[in-house]
Amino acid sequence: MDFDSKKLEAYYSDAREDISLSEIDLDRIPSHVSIIMDGNGRWAQERGLDRSRGHVAGVDSLRETVTTCVRLGVDALSVYAFSTENWKRPQREVNLLMHLFATTLVKELPLFHQENVRLRFLGDLEALPKETLKVFQRGLDETADHTGMEFALAVNYGSRAEITRAARSIAQDVASGALSLDDVSEEAISSRLYTSGLPDPDLLIRTSGELRLSNYLLWQLAYTEFYVTPKYWPDFDRWEFLRAVRAFQSRNRRFGGVVSK
Ligand code: IPE
Ligand code: IPE
Ligand code: MG
């Protein structure tokens, strides 16, 4: 956790009535924040626009959120961008999203350099169009030596597929003798998930008011605090992020133990 307080105060200088930076304990910023970015389609439809316009507008929210997390000293930010179920959408929307992922990543690489952000992906990338995959690989290569915040983009991600893949890998290792049955542990499973090496999220944010996980990080969210906002993803901003952190800091995390304060 590392933050520049002057820069942060300037970033949060235009006051809001209901929230201010002074309400936040900067020593207790969640280390890993994860976001289900939802509501792009409804945001657009309510404005009489095509759903795709909502996805394009959502890019601005994501850019702002990356900056916000860096400023606040978040160690890892993961975001759900495309689920294994999202292939069911009209081909036109899927194509647009795949194109948007690639063009956005190219455009935002300077920001990743400037903010020292390291990129990773969660999900099965092999099913992605070649062009998208090529850009993703470039993003990985160019940010590999960055030492700041880790930014994980979940694309073609599904938690059940992820756990199934881990189970298969363990079965294979046990069958070959590389792993003994006694070594099939929680760690053995965690280390075979796409999130291997990332701490479990401390805070999960879902926008658009939906109260479900939609196949996201089922294993990793075991003790994560949830914050759901009715705001659609394109309306999410640094202030809403601060409200989420304030809510997180008001919770008493017990991890199954007893109340600590
Ligand atoms: C989230 O917004 C973006 C993706 C799932 C790719 P949606 O596209 O799900 O927007 P709504 O939920 O239909 O409003
Ligand atoms: C979850 O949102 C997936 C992403 C945000 C990428 P969906 O919009 O696909 O979820 P459901 O269908 O409402 O559960
Ligand atoms: Mg949705």
Side-chain angles (χ1 to χ4, degrees), residues 38-39 42 89 206:
D38 199 14
R42 279 164 284 170
R89 294 187 179 204
R206 183 163 187 157

Side-chain angles (χ1 to χ4, degrees), residues 23 28 48 90 93 124 139 152 156 161 166 170 212 215-216 220 226:
E23 292 174 71
R28 289 198 305 127
E93 182 170 345
D124 178 10
N156 193 21
I170 286 176
R212 57 176 171 267
N215 202 11
Y216 189 54
Q220 298 88 337
F226 289 10

Side-chain angles (χ1 to χ4, degrees), residues 47 94 159 172 187:
R47 285 161 180 74
V94 170
S159 199
Q172 223 162 32
E187 289 70 32

Side-chain angles (χ1 to χ4, degrees), residues 2-226:
D2 185 26
F3 55 87
D4 180 332
S5 58
K6 281 234 165 58
K7 225 172 166 180
L8 187 59
E9 274 164 30
Y11 186 65
Y12 275 112
S13 58
D14 55 328
R16 289 291 183 279
E17 275 170 18
D18 66 312
I19 178 97
S20 97
L21 186 60
S22 64
E23 292 174 71
I24 302 300
D25 180 350
L26 295 174
D27 292 327
R28 289 198 305 127
I29 296 295
S31 169
H32 178 183
V33 179
S34 197
I35 306 181
I36 300 176
M37 309 182 290
D38 199 14
N40 294 351
R42 279 164 284 170
W43 180 91
Q45 277 159 348
E46 283 184 11
R47 285 161 180 74
L49 303 170
D50 189 77
R51 291 175 56 83
S52 62
R53 295 284 294 277
H55 298 314
V56 172
V59 172
D60 292 334
S61 300
L62 184 54
R63 184 188 311 106
E64 175 158 334
T65 302
V66 168
T67 304
T68 303
C69 287
V70 170
R71 297 265 195 279
L72 284 168
V74 168
D75 298 312
L77 169 69
S78 50
V79 299
Y80 203 7
F82 193 91
S83 75
T84 47
E85 287 73 43
N86 286 150
W87 297 107
K88 292 179 198 160
R89 294 187 179 204
Q91 191 62 40
R92 190 176 157 269
E93 182 170 345
V94 170
N95 291 348
L96 175 116
L97 284 166
M98 292 300 152
H99 182 69
L100 190 63
F101 296 149
T103 51
T104 301
L105 186 54
V106 171
K107 229 165 62 198
E108 300 305 331
L109 270 174
L111 176 72
F112 291 173
H113 287 304
Q114 181 194 314
E115 303 289 3
N116 196 19
V117 169
R118 190 167 68 252
L119 181 67
R120 72 185 276 175
F121 293 96
L122 313 176
D124 178 10
L125 300 187
E126 275 171 29
L128 303 185
K130 281 208 171 52
E131 281 313 300
T132 307
L133 201 54
K134 216 163 88 184
V135 173
F136 281 10
Q137 191 54 53
R138 181 176 153 204
L140 287 173
D141 294 343
E142 286 197 23
T143 66
D145 63 348
H146 290 175
T147 54
M149 186 177 80
E150 188 145 7
F151 175 57
L153 193 63
V155 180
N156 193 21
Y157 174 87
S159 199
R160 288 186 171 183
E162 176 186 43
I163 293 169
T164 304
R165 179 174 166 270
R168 195 177 301 126
S169 156
I170 286 176
Q172 223 162 32
D173 286 353
V174 170
S176 74
L179 193 73
S180 79
L181 213 47
D182 288 341
D183 290 330
V184 178
S185 58
E186 293 188 7
E187 289 70 32
I189 294 172
S190 290
S191 69
R192 286 168 171 81
L193 300 179
Y194 292 119
T195 48
S196 171
L198 271 177
D200 288 341
D202 299 292
L203 171 63
L204 174 80
I205 298 170
R206 183 163 187 157
T207 57
S208 88
E210 304 295 357
L211 298 173
R212 57 176 171 267
L213 288 177
S214 304
N215 202 11
Y216 189 54
L217 302 181
L218 303 180
W219 172 276
Q220 298 88 337
L221 296 173
Y223 272 103
T224 301
E225 297 296 331
F226 289 10

